[in-house]
Amino acid sequence: MPNSTNESQHVSSQDTLSGRATPLTVSPYHVITQHAIGNIPENMEIAYFGMGCFWGVERLFWQQEGIYTTSAGYSGGAMPNPTYEEVCTGLTGHAEVVRVVFDPARITYAQLLTLFWENHDPAQGMRQHGDIGTQYRSALYTVSPQQQEQALTSRDQYQQAMAQKGDQRTITTEVCEAGPFYFAEDYHQQYLHKNPEGYCGLGGTGICFPPTHKN
């Protein structure tokens, strides 16, 4: 995915683009799982992850057991229904995010967090490797107090793991309650399935998330 040319600073409220009332149109079904994007069974849960370019992030999660659907989109910003071109200006405040719908009986939020920490660099600020801009920031947008607590605890655990491996940088991951999620354009959905040779910007620190032990 081409690098953004926006500034690596959050946009101020007076500079935010106005947006639109009409959402972007996307296919109603996930091309791999064939599950309906808009029909989430009651036993499923939702999580949101920002790890840089959403193409590779979405593929990482749809490959896991227990995943019902994944969707590429935008969250963490201030304008409704942004387009990709608008997000790339840095004037919407959004991050590229993947919405993961998962079966907690088969894969837990804690396991998803391990994938999150190990598969990108959470200490790069408003960028992810060669992708520079606010939309590439590391982010965990949580949907419940339980997710928020787990996300913050996992951040502290990974910060300690980094320090123990000699990486003294501070994690810059944005951890906060989820706001509106807007689906990205249809061509972004399951992009690396449709374009197997497409760009994937995923790349971790090489530091494993510390194992947790249950009594």
Side-chain angles (χ1 to χ4, degrees):
M1 183 181 293
N3 290 346
S4 168
T5 57
N6 65 327
E7 297 294 331
S8 295
Q9 301 288 335
H10 273 298
V11 63
S12 61
S13 58
Q14 63 266 28
D15 292 329
T16 302
L17 299 177
S18 58
R20 58 195 52 80
T22 304
L24 300 174
T25 301
V26 298
S27 299
Y29 294 96
H30 194 282
V31 299
I32 298 165
T33 68
Q34 294 300 305
H35 291 144
I37 297 298
N39 183 21
I40 301 175
E42 291 184 0
N43 63 317
M44 298 295 165
E45 295 183 9
I46 298 175
Y48 297 98
F49 301 96
M51 303 165 60
C53 172
F54 46 26
W55 294 343
V57 180
E58 188 184 13
R59 181 173 63 180
L60 169 70
F61 286 107
W62 85 50
Q63 291 175 335
Q64 310 306 314
E65 293 289 333
I67 301 303
Y68 187 78
T69 64
T70 56
S71 301
Y74 314 113
S75 195
M79 68 166 281
N81 301 301
T83 66
Y84 174 68
E85 289 73 18
E86 289 168 339
V87 170
C88 286
T89 68
L91 297 177
T92 75
H94 291 92
E96 292 190 16
V97 169
V98 171
R99 184 187 78 162
V100 178
V101 181
F102 66 100
D103 182 350
R106 298 177 62 196
I107 189 168
T108 65
Y109 185 59
Q111 290 173 305
L112 296 177
L113 286 170
T114 296
L115 290 168
F116 171 82
W117 294 114
E118 291 185 349
N119 285 278
H120 80 302
D121 188 338
Q124 291 195 324
M126 298 299 182
R127 66 181 298 165
Q128 194 61 209
H129 307 295
D131 295 323
I132 302 172
T134 57
Q135 78 265 34
Y136 299 116
R137 66 188 183 270
S138 175
L140 288 169
Y141 297 129
T142 60
V143 301
S144 68
Q146 292 76 20
Q147 278 195 4
Q148 179 77 3
E149 181 180 359
Q150 283 184 273
L152 290 171
T153 298
S154 70
R155 180 194 63 187
D156 294 344
Q157 291 173 319
Y158 199 68
Q159 183 72 78
Q160 184 176 12
M162 289 172 58
Q164 290 175 344
K165 293 295 185 180
D167 189 337
Q168 302 302 320
R169 297 175 302 156
T170 299
I171 287 175
T172 57
T173 302
E174 181 180 10
V175 181
C176 62
E177 182 179 351
F181 171 83
Y182 302 104
F183 290 99
E185 292 82 348
D186 200 54
Y187 75 89
H188 287 302
Q189 305 300 331
Q190 297 89 65
Y191 180 87
L192 290 178
H193 174 77
K194 302 169 184 175
N195 303 273
E197 302 303 318
Y199 167 78
C200 175
L202 281 182
T205 63
I207 299 171
C208 294
F209 188 81
T212 57
H213 303 283
K214 295 183 179 180
N215 296 327

